[in-house]
Each structure stands twice: as structure tokens, then as C-alpha cells.
Amino acid sequence: MPTLVELRSAVLPGGRWLAAGPDVAPSTAATLDLAWVRLLRARVPAFDALERGDLAIVPRAALAVVAPDPESLGALVRGCVEAGIGGIILVGDGARDAEEITAVAAPAGLPVLDAGDGDAGSIERSAIGFLVNHRAELERQATILETQLERIALDGGGADGLAAAIAGFLGRAVAIEGPRGTPLAVHLPPDVADAGAAVAAYHDRRRAAAARIALPIPGEPGNAGSGALALLGERPPSELERVATARVAGLLALELARDEAVGRAVETARREALPADGPPWVVIIARQARADAALSATTDATDREALRRDLRLLAPARRLALRGDALSVELRVVAALEDADPAGLAIAGRIGAFLDRLVAVSRPFAEPGGRSAAEAEARSTLEAAEALADVPRIARADRLPAYRLLGNLHNLPDGTRQARALLAPLLRGRPDVRREHLATLRAILDQPGLAEAAASLGVHRNTVAYRLNRIEQLTGWQLSDPDLRFPLALALRLVQSD
């Protein structure tokens, strides 16, 4: 079984030893095997059970209820010592009770780890996951870091934001380097004892790092690299650090390449003419071919050029500029906005109708240098909307988080089974009846009123009212209940995309 030292390096690398840890003499944390995880509750008894080798997770909030004074706190810790547990993880903001716990635990050799201001339930799940299947838990932790970095990248955090997130997650100083070893971002997390010395050694001797993980150039085979992620200090990389950095190396490489491409595009944009009637402008992007049409390198460029020529006729040149050429993968349009169309939805709708395919429109921008960022935003929006079960005609960049949320519904744990269980009353009977019920329910939930629902279904309003009454009779639902409408809307999307 793993020890508390091993568990800390895997799921709590930022934890601080208070007693009997490697940084606090005498150290027994490396020799005590952990058997299971117990969470202290704000009640009596505080633990459901406490056996030899258990790891006790102690939230400070619960501790204030169970042991509000030094005497009762000392008795609680002595009980842990007598039970022969493998250690205590203290969770919560502040330094309350640390001295009292340490005073009892340290002489007895009971390891105590301060996890800081975290979520006790999350730490409990991570610890149990590590004890049951440590490799799977390491991969889960790496996924958490990867998700954080994706969010930072989408928010434009740049290399500094990425380095700060990695350093904070791993609990050690890190540096992100460019292709020639140039430091792009260096970050040392607070409250890490050796971080300052590690960064000083790195700057003094540029190659001073415990490990370097190459960032591969996107699309390049072999060992070609666009830079490196350096783990600073003398501590050898932990297993979590090896797994997590290998997972995020590709994402970091893509982000560095994107930053470089955006920088080049900004320089280019300064020399490119935008439609004269702006600002503001928007970028509108569509695929060269519809999703149901094959597009290959041999596609006739003449047809593409004819399409581009006709597309330019949708508006005067002072209002519409077409970027790229007939060999471009995408159709990219910059449109100057009119007062009557402040979000660009009208011109985007005209372009989408002309092309007969999905188009994505960026948010408005007012500076010429913002064109490249708007183009990237529209491209991300197009990709997110394409993944939806019900693809809109116009994908709006201001709704990108909503598209991503809806596109990831299938990743909900046990989501499809729970959705089918919720909709079970409507999934019985003949297939045509089931389809009618689901379509009617979807229209009622998606539209603001029965008239709009009837229009979307192509039936009379009274027909929708009859069907609504029938659905409520079959299911016992009250579709005016907002607490029911939201899960039903999610369940419909899961079932109809299954």
C-alpha cells in the first residue's frame, strides 16, 4: 500500500508538512502504509470508523464543531494516535489548530499534512482513487490540469497564465521556454520552500532544471520541438509530474504556436485593408464545402473562385472583404457593421443562406489588429457548433461556452441512462408516437410560447396545447415547473443525439 508521502506527491503536491513529514524531523510518513480514507464529519461520532492505517481527512470547519477547544482537540488527536492511523490531512483556510494538532501528533510520530484551502470531499475522492488505482488517479489529476490549461488558453492567459497554473498545480517552480531555450514565462508558487532558490539557480545557470519536457511542433514528426517545459529545482520529478507534463506538452506547444501565429497575423493585419465602412467589424467563417459534401485537394478551384466571386456581390466592397483565396480551407469574410445590425447576424444570415451551410460570426472588434483574434474566435465557434446534435444556421461567438457545454453533454457520467430514465414515460408505444411526443416536448421547452412551438412544428396552436395536455397526463409532469424544464431539456438533447 502507498504511504502518505507517495499520496502527497500524486494528489496534493502543494501540501505542507506539519508533523512527521520529510521536511519535519523525525519523519515516519515514508514508512506508514495507508489502508483507507476517513473523512471527519461535523457530528458525533466524527468518524464513521477509524482503523489502523487509515488516513484521516480533517476539514477545519468540521473540527470547529467537533473539537472547539484545545482539550477536546488534543483528545481527538490522541484517539487517532491510539488507533494507529497512517496520517492526518488538515483542510481549510487559516492556521487554526495547527499548533495544537502538531503538539500531540509530532511526539507520537503521526504525520500531519496541511492541504490549505481546498475541498475536503474532492481530496477524499482523490485519495481513495489513488489507493484503489494509483495510475488511474494520476491520469485523472493530469486531466484536471489539462482542463485548467485549456480554459486559460481560451481566455487568452498566454504563457504566463499557463506557467502559473502548472506551477500551482504541481507545487514547484516551472519555466516555459521557446525553441532556442529562451524563457517565455517563469513562475514560482507561493509557500513552496525551495521555489525561490530553484528560480535563482535557473536564471544564474540557464540549464539548471530537474527535467525538461520537449514541446513538439504541431504536425512535425520525430523530436522536432517548439520549446520545453522546465521543472526547476533539484527535486527529481514525481510520478504525477511525469504523467501530467507528458499530457499537457502538446497543448502547450499548440498554444505557443498559436501565439506566434497570432503575432504574425497582427503584423499582417496592420498592413491589410479592412472594409472602409468600419469599425466595427466582424469576421464570418464557413467551410469551403458543406459537411455532407466531399472536399479534396483535387476539388475544382474554378468552382471555388466562382463561389467567391458571387459571395463578393452580396455587399459592396466598402462593407465586405473576402480573405484568402480559392485554395483556402475556409471561407473567411470581414464585414463592416451597420447600425441596424450591431452583432452582424443579418449579414451572417445572408451569407449562410447563400452558401447553404453553417456560418460562424465573431464578436465585433474595433481595432484593425483585432481581426486575427476575431478570426480565431469565429473558427473555434464554428468547430463547437459543428459538434452539436442540432446545428444552428448561425453560430455566434458570444455563445461559444453554451455550444461547448451542449456539445459535452454526452460526457456526463451515466448521462444517457439517466436521461432515458427521466423520459421513460414518453419512450413507450409506437415509434411514430414516441417521435411526436419528443418533438412536441422539445418545441415546448425550446420556444417561449405555444404559438412559437406550433410554428416550429408546423401545426396549429390548439394541436400543441392538446399534445401538451396529453404529455402531462401520461407523465404526471407540470411543464410550467422550471426545476423540471431544465433537466428535461438536457435529457432530450442526450436522448435525441444518442
Side-chain angles (χ1 to χ4, degrees):
M1 297 296 290
T3 65
L4 185 53
V5 169
E6 294 168 336
L7 185 143
R8 173 190 176 273
S9 69
V11 300
L12 289 171
R16 182 170 60 92
W17 292 106
L18 299 179
D23 302 331
V24 185
S27 174
T28 58
T31 59
L32 295 173
D33 290 337
L34 302 178
W36 196 241
V37 180
R38 308 291 180 182
L39 178 64
L40 182 135
R41 312 283 184 180
R43 54 171 169 73
V44 178
F47 291 105
D48 292 328
L50 205 58
E51 300 175 356
R52 184 171 185 80
D54 283 346
L55 173 64
I57 297 178
V58 179
R60 281 188 166 94
L63 198 60
V65 176
V66 174
D69 55 75
E71 182 179 352
S72 57
L73 180 58
L76 177 67
V77 178
R78 283 191 293 274
C80 293
V81 172
E82 292 169 1
I85 70 171
I88 292 175
I89 295 180
L90 196 58
V91 184
D93 192 19
R96 180 188 179 276
D97 307 319
E99 292 184 4
E100 291 90 341
I101 292 176
T102 303
V104 179
L110 176 62
V112 180
L113 184 66
D114 191 343
D117 187 15
D119 178 66
S122 177
I123 293 174
E124 179 191 26
R125 290 190 294 273
S126 296
I128 291 174
F130 184 75
L131 294 182
V132 173
N133 186 337
H134 84 280
R135 181 67 190 188
E137 180 58 29
L138 290 174
E139 292 290 348
R140 193 180 77 86
Q141 293 291 325
T143 300
I144 293 173
L145 175 60
E146 193 173 29
T147 302
Q148 289 181 6
L149 298 185
E150 288 175 351
R151 184 169 60 251
I152 291 169
L154 289 172
D155 290 342
D160 289 328
L162 297 172
I166 295 170
F169 188 87
L170 298 179
R172 78 181 299 158
V174 303
I176 298 178
E177 300 174 339
R180 290 170 293 279
T182 305
L184 302 178
V186 180
H187 191 87
L188 64 159
D191 302 326
V192 175
D194 62 349
V199 171
Y202 175 75
H203 286 304
D204 184 48
R205 295 176 285 111
R206 184 60 52 78
R207 303 302 295 175
R212 274 185 173 79
I213 298 86
L215 307 181
I217 295 177
E220 290 291 330
N223 296 321
S226 61
L229 171 63
L231 304 181
L232 308 185
E234 298 181 354
R235 285 184 286 135
S238 68
E239 191 174 5
L240 171 64
E241 290 169 341
R242 289 193 295 270
V243 172
T245 54
R247 281 279 295 275
V248 304
L251 187 150
L252 290 177
L254 285 171
E255 185 62 13
L256 294 183
R258 187 190 71 85
D259 283 348
E260 183 180 358
V262 168
R264 290 197 303 267
V266 168
E267 290 300 318
T268 302
R270 290 174 180 156
R271 301 187 298 270
E272 286 185 344
L274 296 176
D277 280 0
W281 302 277
V282 291
V283 173
I284 301 166
I285 286 184
R287 300 296 184 197
Q288 277 280 14
R290 287 184 357 205
D292 58 354
L295 181 65
S296 68
T298 59
T299 301
D300 191 354
T302 304
D303 293 340
R304 293 203 210 176
E305 193 54 62
L307 178 67
R308 293 170 63 84
R309 183 178 60 252
D310 293 341
L311 187 56
R312 289 188 184 95
L313 300 177
L314 291 180
R318 69 177 188 276
R319 304 210 62 86
L320 202 68
L322 196 56
R323 290 177 42 75
D325 55 33
L327 298 179
S328 300
V329 175
E330 302 159 329
L331 287 164
R332 293 169 292 163
V333 177
V334 181
L337 297 179
E338 300 174 310
D339 292 340
D341 185 24
L345 300 182
I347 185 62
R350 290 174 59 193
I351 293 174
F354 172 75
L355 297 174
D356 190 26
R357 71 197 68 162
L358 168 67
V359 299
V361 57
S362 74
R363 286 174 293 188
F365 63 98
E367 296 295 331
R371 183 205 52 78
S372 57
E375 190 170 296
E377 180 181 63
R379 184 175 296 109
S380 297
T381 303
L382 183 71
E383 293 170 353
E386 287 174 333
L388 299 178
D390 294 322
V391 179
R393 173 63 76 180
I394 303 173
R396 300 170 50 172
D398 59 353
R399 297 183 180 178
L400 176 57
Y403 300 147
R404 287 199 169 115
L405 178 63
L406 293 174
N408 279 286
L409 287 181
H410 64 280
N411 291 326
L412 286 174
D414 207 24
T416 302
R417 188 176 70 84
Q418 297 295 346
R420 297 188 72 84
L422 177 60
L423 297 172
L426 300 183
L427 299 178
R428 305 187 184 104
R430 301 197 317 268
D432 59 326
V433 175
R434 294 200 302 267
R435 286 193 296 271
E436 179 183 286
H437 283 158
L438 294 178
T440 302
L441 179 60
R442 179 72 175 269
I444 291 169
L445 296 176
D446 285 355
Q447 301 299 329
L450 292 185
E452 292 84 358
S456 68
L457 292 171
V459 299
H460 194 273
R461 184 185 186 280
N462 291 345
T463 302
V464 175
Y466 169 79
R467 292 180 184 177
L468 169 60
N469 183 58
R470 180 61 177 157
I471 288 173
E472 290 185 333
Q473 289 179 352
L474 284 172
T475 62
W477 300 336
Q478 289 296 323
L479 293 180
S480 59
D481 183 355
D483 290 336
L484 183 61
R485 291 175 68 92
F486 177 66
L488 282 174
L490 292 182
L492 280 168
R493 282 167 170 79
L494 283 168
V495 168
Q496 291 182 331
S497 64
D498 185 21

